[in-house]
């Protein structure tokens, strides 16, 4: 029997083809947007429709305000490797989980992109704030002294997904299904735009980091019946100029349904190779020419593979790539391994098998590589699994249920994270602490929380009485820098500081920011970049009443 480890709690049931932030079937899903001035969550598709692609002629109507779902996570995919059996990994005893509401088990196995219209930039709004210095938290915050702030809105297709963003020199680049756009960080002006190479096609995958100002991307020349790209091609994009280089088909081996076109791919550049991971297979393309160097089915290096293991996510580490793998029910449920970019060989794998009552943990999403951290979803809750370079567990943070007040907001941070796409996360680690935010309500407040990584115990929490903590941005001089947004549709954005050691509040700087509808932007749908006392933000999913990019700061 495998060695027992401290238990974990998993996430909740959501279809894996449903983007994060979409309510599960059976819950109310608004079809439109509220009148200007009302605060509104990213638009959702009508019941029975796919991921926000309404049929031709569908005219959304305003609906009552959306309320966040009580749970939000993965439902186990309906394929043999994920079906549950009555005698699966039953534990005779379960260790206590610190401050956990339920006892669950973690076992360690003994083996180691509709036709997209071109985006049009709406005129940039420039503001400046020359007010006095920040005031302490808890008092009446004074506006921060600052230089010009800017906001940009793009005319994007409704329900369009965001795939990732990067800082490249003095620009901020963001990738959507129908467009990749570079904004000047100084003033938000458009520097360049790149469209999918094929008329009517869509982008369907991007890498997590630029290499020598280059980015590997995936695209489809045609769409499936649900409006997603048939993700069959790779290309190299110059992030300085927006020019596409080589374009090559992706001949990725698929052991299950090989005739079925996939809708996404993970791509990373390492060692002169573009590595593509797509469900059940991987390939390596020459960085200079795009020609294929190698092709490999996904076979777990730990053994016990029945031929249908799939790569869930992939991140670059030092000289290899880290992958997370999901396997059949007779296999351990989760595997982490290194992938050699030169050969495609998987090595140094570690298996984790899990059991939660009648359910199972699955869909291990890698969020960081140094150290490796994965969000692992289950039928009920979720956990953050912190590992060392050999994938040994060094920490386990109970994420609870997204949507419940004390559950961590473990979403994709505005990114479409299914189908191997880039993963977002809403936490940072520093000084042995894991700092994150509890569930972000549409209207209301939440908490900033910190956990001891080694024990998983909550170290401190700090309620935000008049706003909501969107995410920790950085640790500077012993303080956590946090973006705070208003608890209601009206109010300012704030950059606040909290002491890392105990969460005590420090200085706060305020920045007025209103969208064209008159309300505050829905900041939980953005990715953020913070340095030099300035915040840059780019939106993921499209919203006709919100900004697509903005910058505030000194």
């Amino acid at each position: 029997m495998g060695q027992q480890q401290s238990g974990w709690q998993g996430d909740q049931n959501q279809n894996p083809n449903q983007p994060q932030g979409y309510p599960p079937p059976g819950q109310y899903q608004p079809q439109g947007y509220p009148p200007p001035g009302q605060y509104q969550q990213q638009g959702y598709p009508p019941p029975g429709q796919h991921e926000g692609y309404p049929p031709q002629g569908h005219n959304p109507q305003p609906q009552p305000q959306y309320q966040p779902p009580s749970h939000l996570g993965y439902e186990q995919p309906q394929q043999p490797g994920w079906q549950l059996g009555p005698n699966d990994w039953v534990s005779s005893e379960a260790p206590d989980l610190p401050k956990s509401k339920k006892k669950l088990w973690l076992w360690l196995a003994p083996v180691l992109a509709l036709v997209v219209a071109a985006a049009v930039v709406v005129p940039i709004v420039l503001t400046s704030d020359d007010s006095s210095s920040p005031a302490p938290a808890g008092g009446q915050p004074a506006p921060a002294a600052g230089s010009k702030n800017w906001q940009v809105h793009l005319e994007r297709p409704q329900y369009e997904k965001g795939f990732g963003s990067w800082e490249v020199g003095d620009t901020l680049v963001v990738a959507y299904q129908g467009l990749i756009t570079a904004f000047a960080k100084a003033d938000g002006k458009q520097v360049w735009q790149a469209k999918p190479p094929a008329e009517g096609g869509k982008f369907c995958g991007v890498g997590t980091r630029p290499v020598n100002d280059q980015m590997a991307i995936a695209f489809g020349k045609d769409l499936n019946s649900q409006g997603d790209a048939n993700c069959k091609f790779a290309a190299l994009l110059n992030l300085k100029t927006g020019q596409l280089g080589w374009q090559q088909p992706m001949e990725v081996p698929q052991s299950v349904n090989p005739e079925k076109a996939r809708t996404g791919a993970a791509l990373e550049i390492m060692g002169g190779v573009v590595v593509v991971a797509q469900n059940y297979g991987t390939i390596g393309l020459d960085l200079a020419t795009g020609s294929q160097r190698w092709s490999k089915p996904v076979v777990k290096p730990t053994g016990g593979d029945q031929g249908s293991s799939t790569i869930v996510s992939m991140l670059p580490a030092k000289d290899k790539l880290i992958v997370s793998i999901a396997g059949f029910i007779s296999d351990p449920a989760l595997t982490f391994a290194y992938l050699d970019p030169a050969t495609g060989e998987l090595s140094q794998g570690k298996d984790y098998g899990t059991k939660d009552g009648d359910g199972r943990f699955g869909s291990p999403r890698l969020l960081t590589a140094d150290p490796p951290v994965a969000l692992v979803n289950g039928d009920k809750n979720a956990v953050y699994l912190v590992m060392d370079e050999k994938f040994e567990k060094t920490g386990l943070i109970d994420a609870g249920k997204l949507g419940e007040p004390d559950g961590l907001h473990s979403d994709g941070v505005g990114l479409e994270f299914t189908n191997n796409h880039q993963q977002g996360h809403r936490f940072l680690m520093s000084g042995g602490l894991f700092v994150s935010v509890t569930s972000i309500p549409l209207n209301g407040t939440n908490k900033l929380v910190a956990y001891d990584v080694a024990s998983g115990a909550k170290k401190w929490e700090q309620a935000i009485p008049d706003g909501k903590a969107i995410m920790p941005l950085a640790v500077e001089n012993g303080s956590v820098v946090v973006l705070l947004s208003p608890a209601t549709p009206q109010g300012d954005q704030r950059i606040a500081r909290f002491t890392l050691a105990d969460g005590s509040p420090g200085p706060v700087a305020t920045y007025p920011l209103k969208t064209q509808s008159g309300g505050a932007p829905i900041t939980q749908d953005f990715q953020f970049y913070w340095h030099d006392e300035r915040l840059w933000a780019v939106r993921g999913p499209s919203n006709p009443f919100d900004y697509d990019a903005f910058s505030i700061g000194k």
Side-chain angles (χ1 to χ4, degrees), residues 39 52 77 84 104 161 169 177 191 203 207 222 250-251 297 299 303 309 316 328 339 454 476 478 495-496 501 521 550:
Y39 187 77
L84 304 178
L104 302 162
K161 304 167 189 173
Q177 286 177 296
V191 178
F203 294 116
D222 54 2
M250 300 187 299
E251 302 292 341
V299 178
S309 294
F328 266 174
L339 188 152
E476 297 176 350
I495 301 296
F550 68 83

Side-chain angles (χ1 to χ4, degrees), residues 465-522:
D466 59 348
K468 47 194 176 185
I470 300 302
M471 72 179 294
L473 302 169
V475 173
E476 297 176 350
N477 301 318
S479 294
V480 184
V481 182
V482 183
L483 172 63
L484 303 181
S485 291
T488 66
Q490 305 299 321
D492 297 333
Q493 304 297 318
R494 291 174 288 173
I495 301 296
R497 285 167 167 80
F498 300 84
T499 303
L500 176 64
D502 59 11
S504 56
V508 176
T510 65
Y511 300 93
L513 188 62
K514 290 185 178 181
T515 67
Q516 57 267 44
S517 64
I522 306 172

Side-chain angles (χ1 to χ4, degrees), residues 137 437-438 444-449 460-470 482-487 494 496 498 503 505:
V437 301
T438 58
T445 65
N446 69 340
K447 300 174 184 177
L448 182 71
V449 293
W460 52 259
E461 66 178 36
Q462 180 62 244
I464 312 299
D466 59 348
K468 47 194 176 185
I470 300 302
V482 183
L483 172 63
L484 303 181
S485 291
R494 291 174 288 173
F498 300 84

Side-chain angles (χ1 to χ4, degrees), residues 8 70 215 347 410 454:
W8 64 15
S70 61
M215 177 59 58
S347 63
S410 50

Side-chain angles (χ1 to χ4, degrees), residues 270-300:
M270 182 172 282
V273 178
V274 174
V275 178
V276 180
Q278 191 179 52
N279 295 123
Y280 304 97
T282 58
I283 59 172
L285 306 177
D286 186 82
L287 178 60
T289 65
S291 60
Q292 185 167 303
R293 286 192 180 185
W294 52 260
S295 173
K296 298 282 186 182
V298 178
V299 178
K300 295 193 299 181

